[in-house]
């Protein structure tokens, strides 16, 4: 088995290591579906249960190895007789077309596989009439032995949590760092328009000095330099940001380690026009400097602009 990865690799080294195509296979019930979800989160073009003879055709169709940076992940199983007779030929064909390919083989102990099928109340997909789950598993092991021998990575999921599987695959097959793999969504909002239900982290900045009470800034937003400076240059804000950024430094690595694919950070003030916007922008810039993949939005800015002469924001 070949499985050499490093968390310290640069982005260029990661990109060079990641293959164009990953074929996910292994024993039924060993976690192929969960593995496919990981590749989807990593941005791979994913197809489930694809006959090996169609891999090259699909790769060419979606532009793999065409200079656009796409990668393909497919799962193959034994539900159709003879599929794996074609697998090694398909790999040779891919390499002849200068497409790199790696095989990930998932397996688990008989005891664990039997328990999974029992708990899910599912019949083993390869079980014949009158055949026990244990018999089907043993037959499948024999049929897959040659493919397992050719696998680039073999993962035993018997005692592996889904988060551990995700981490293992991301380290091996993503050209992004752990921090870049987690999409961080930072957005401002106004409490008067309702609290966001989708937020993982939420901070209330209504305690900060409010630009609304300055007539010149009342119709401006936190995106305007004058408002941003009013909010961010205040000593109270500087003290808050120091504590806020230290909190982010403490919690963000934990979310990354858990393999969380997306994190939503909401920052609220009264109307979502001044303070929350400025703080959200500052938060996004800080996280970007820490190499996180950040998107920023301002939920209530349109409504706040239309009500600028009303309630304090």
């Amino acid at each position: 088995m070949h499985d050499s990865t490093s968390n310290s690799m640069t982005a260029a080294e990661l990109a060079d290591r990641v293959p164009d195509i990953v074929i996910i296979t292994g024993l039924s019930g060993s976690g192929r579906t969960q593995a496919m979800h990981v590749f989807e989160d990593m941005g791979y073009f994913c197809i489930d249960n694809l006959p090996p003879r169609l891999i090259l055709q699909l790769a060419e169709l979606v532009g793999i190895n065409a200079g656009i940076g796409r990668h393909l992940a497919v799962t193959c199983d034994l539900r159709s007789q003879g599929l794996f007779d074609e697998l090694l030929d398909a790999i040779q064909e891919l390499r002849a077309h200068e497409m790199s390919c790696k095989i990930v083989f998932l397996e688990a102990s008989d005891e664990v596989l039997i328990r999974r099928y029992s708990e899910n109340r599912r019949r083993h997909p390869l079980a014949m009439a009158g055949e026990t789950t244990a018999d089907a598993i043993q037959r499948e092991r024999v049929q897959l032995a040659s493919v397992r021998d050719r696998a680039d990575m073999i993962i035993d999921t018997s005692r592996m949590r889904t988060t551990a599987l995700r981490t293992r695959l991301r380290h091996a097959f993503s050209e992004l760092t752990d921090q870049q793999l987690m999409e961080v969504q930072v957005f401002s909002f106004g409490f008067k328009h309702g609290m966001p239900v989708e937020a993982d982290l939420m901070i209330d900045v209504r305690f900060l000095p409010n630009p609304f009470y300055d007539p010149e800034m009342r119709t401006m937003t936190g995106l305007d330099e004058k408002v941003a400076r009013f909010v961010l240059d205040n000593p109270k804000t500087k003290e808050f940001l120091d504590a806020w950024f230290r909190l982010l430094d403490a919690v963000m690595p934990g979310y990354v380690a858990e393999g969380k694919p997306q994190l939503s950070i909401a920052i609220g003030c009264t109307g979502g026009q001044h303070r929350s916007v400025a703080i959200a922008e500052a938060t996004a810039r800080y996280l970007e400097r820490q190499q996180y993949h950040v998107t920023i939005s301002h939920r209530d800015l349109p409504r706040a602009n239309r009500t600028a002469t009303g309630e304090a924001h």
Side-chain angles (χ1 to χ4, degrees), residues 16 24 42 53 84 107 116 187 213 224 229 254 271 293 302:
D16 288 341
I24 307 164
M42 291 192 292
R53 65 179 180 275
F84 280 107
E107 62 183 7
R116 288 175 182 172
F187 67 94
Y213 295 109
D224 292 304
R229 293 273 57 89
H293 174 57

Side-chain angles (χ1 to χ4, degrees), residues 69-125:
R70 299 197 71 178
H71 299 281
L72 172 67
V74 302
T75 64
C76 298
D77 63 23
L78 278 172
R79 294 179 189 179
S80 296
Q81 186 176 2
L83 278 182
F84 280 107
D85 295 338
E86 307 169 4
L87 183 57
L88 298 184
D89 290 339
I91 293 173
Q92 291 299 322
E93 192 175 24
L94 290 170
R95 290 171 178 164
H97 285 74
E98 298 184 343
M99 296 185 192
S100 57
C101 177
K102 287 190 176 180
I103 299 175
V104 175
F105 189 95
L106 303 179
E107 62 183 7
S109 69
D110 288 7
E111 178 185 359
V112 169
L113 292 173
I114 291 171
R115 185 177 71 245
R116 288 175 182 172
Y117 277 105
S118 176
E119 290 174 349
N120 294 328
R121 298 182 179 179
R122 291 179 55 228
R123 183 173 181 272
H124 193 285

Side-chain angles (χ1 to χ4, degrees), residues 220-279:
M220 295 180 180
T221 77
L223 297 177
D224 292 304
E225 182 67 18
K226 185 176 180 67
V227 174
R229 293 273 57 89
F230 177 92
V231 175
L232 300 177
D233 289 345
N234 186 281
K236 185 179 292 187
T237 304
K238 291 181 178 180
E239 182 181 357
F240 160 71
L241 286 178
D242 181 63
W244 173 231
F245 292 161
R246 280 189 283 111
L247 174 62
L248 291 175
D249 288 342
V251 302
M252 296 296 285
Y255 288 120
V256 171
E258 281 296 309
K260 190 173 179 63
Q262 187 178 80
L263 181 73
S264 179
I265 301 175
I267 300 170
C269 63
T270 304
Q273 177 176 343
H274 296 111
R275 294 165 292 181
S276 63
V277 173
I279 298 299

